[in-house]
């Protein structure tokens, strides 16, 4: 479809919402249960009606199109796509007084602490349970010390949350340069002072180490993350499914004793106090 100058392409279950639907459930870090559905529908967007019809004719002439059928070509009504996208993102409540608010919304009246954050390329807008649980922990525990490390910072939302609740020396690192830049811009928009960079920027010990990644990399990073937590400091881990609690506990056992501190929609927050 890209070769045919499609503006966008999506693949859907052709039997969705029918008696023939067979749902496929995948989990982060795990192989896909199947390569795809029994029958798939490909939807492509083209700039003009003529371009769409030309693409349909070209596809039907290809050998690989055997067994497929063009279901139709229809016009897409003009819309304000920016406004439509914005309408899908409302303020997110972390606690009754702590909210994540897109820039096009007014903060709720009860909000005493607000992070201004718009959806972007990097993970972390407050809509995912793992992000909410980390921020809730930060809000409930307040300032745990001046030095904070956000490892795998994504949008920088956890580092910004730490700044809102009293952290003074914050380092946010990620392997993705786009996430690093996103963290810098979001921090600036929220008047939060932090240093963002690639993982080699993380040095020394911290009062709080946050890592919202996934279970597999968290296990690999166990010795590194624990080494960054000072004695008496806190470790907060997310991106973990409830069924993965035991394996994370075992992976971190040489350094700290993890416990489940929160749970939401099958995801858990695991924390430890380093002795």
């Amino acid at each position: 479809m890209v070769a045919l100058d499609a503006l966008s392409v999506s693949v859907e279950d052709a039997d969705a919402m029918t008696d023939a639907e067979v749902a496929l459930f995948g989990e982060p870090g795990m192989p896909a249960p199947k390569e795809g559905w029994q029958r798939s529908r490909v939807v492509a967007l083209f700039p003009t009606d003529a371009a769409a019809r030309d693409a349909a004719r070209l596809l039907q002439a290809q050998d690989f199109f055997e067994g497929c059928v063009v279901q139709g070509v229809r016009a897409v009504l003009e819309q304000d796509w920016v406004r439509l996208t914005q309408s899908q993102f409302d303020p997110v409540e972390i606690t009754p007084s702590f909210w994540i608010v897109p820039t096009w919304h007014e903060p709720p009246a009860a909000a005493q602490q607000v992070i201004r954050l718009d959806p972007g390329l990097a993970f972390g807008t407050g809509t995912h349970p793992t992000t909410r649980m980390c921020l809730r922990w930060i809000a409930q525990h307040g300032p745990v010390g001046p030095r904070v490390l956000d490892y795998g910072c994504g949008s920088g939302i956890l580092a910004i949350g730490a700044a809102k609740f009293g952290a003074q020396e914050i380092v946010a690192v990620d392997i993705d340069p786009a996430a690093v830049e996103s963290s810098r811009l979001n921090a600036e928009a929220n008047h939060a002072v932090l240093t963002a960079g690639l993982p080699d920027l993380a040095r020394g010990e911290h009062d709080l180490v946050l890592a919202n990644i996934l279970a597999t990399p968290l296990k690999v990073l166990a010795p590194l993350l624990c080494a960054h937590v000072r004695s008496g400091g806190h470790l907060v881990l997310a991106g973990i499914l409830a069924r993965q609690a035991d394996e994370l506990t075992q992976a971190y056992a040489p350094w700290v004793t993890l416990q489940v501190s929160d749970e939401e929609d099958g995801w858990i927050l695991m924390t430890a106090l380093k002795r």
Side-chain angles (χ1 to χ4, degrees), residues 26-264:
E27 293 181 346
M30 301 291 289
K34 289 185 179 180
E35 291 185 358
W37 299 284
Q38 290 292 106
R39 300 190 311 136
S40 297
R41 178 188 298 111
V42 179
V43 180
L45 178 67
F46 291 88
T48 64
D49 180 80
R53 296 187 184 280
D54 286 344
R57 283 193 291 270
L58 287 168
L59 284 172
Q60 291 175 93
Q62 308 304 313
D63 292 339
F64 62 76
F65 202 73
E66 184 178 356
C68 302
V69 61
V70 174
Q71 291 187 310
V73 176
R74 64 179 177 84
V76 178
L77 296 176
E78 287 291 335
Q79 296 193 56
D80 185 338
W81 295 106
V82 171
R83 188 173 296 276
L84 179 63
T85 299
Q86 290 179 345
S87 69
Q88 300 174 26
F89 294 92
D90 291 323
V92 176
E93 179 181 346
I94 304 304
T95 71
S97 61
F98 180 27
W99 290 72
I100 311 301
V101 184
T103 55
W104 54 83
H105 276 283
E106 287 297 318
Q112 298 175 18
Q113 287 284 10
V114 171
I115 295 179
R116 286 290 196 175
L117 198 68
D118 295 340
L121 296 177
F123 175 80
T125 61
T127 58
H128 196 273
T130 59
T131 308
R132 288 197 299 271
M133 288 190 293
C134 288
L135 289 171
R136 194 154 54 230
W137 189 96
I138 292 170
Q140 291 170 346
H141 289 77
V144 295
R147 301 199 72 210
V148 172
L149 171 63
D150 181 2
Y151 202 99
C153 56
S155 66
I157 189 170
L158 302 186
I160 295 168
K164 294 286 184 179
F165 284 89
Q168 299 168 358
E169 188 178 342
I170 306 166
V171 176
V173 301
D174 203 290
I175 61 173
D176 183 356
V180 172
E181 182 62 16
S182 178
S183 295
R184 288 173 178 157
L185 294 174
N186 288 330
E188 182 179 342
N190 283 277
H191 309 290
V193 178
L194 58 80
T195 303
L198 298 176
D200 59 2
L201 186 67
R203 300 187 183 93
E205 296 182 338
H206 298 75
D207 301 286
L208 171 62
V209 174
L210 302 153
N212 181 13
I213 314 176
L214 285 172
T216 298
L218 284 176
K219 287 190 290 184
V220 174
L221 290 168
L224 174 67
L225 293 177
C226 290
H228 282 304
V229 185
R230 70 165 180 82
S231 178
H234 293 268
L235 176 66
V236 175
L237 306 178
I240 308 163
L241 295 167
R243 62 173 176 78
Q244 297 170 324
D246 288 343
E247 57 187 284
L248 264 294
T249 299
Q250 293 172 17
Y252 281 77
W255 302 279
V256 295
T257 301
L258 286 176
Q259 63 179 6
V260 177
S261 297
D262 203 351
E263 183 169 1
E264 186 176 338

Side-chain angles (χ1 to χ4, degrees), residues 24 26 254 271:
L24 299 179
T271 63

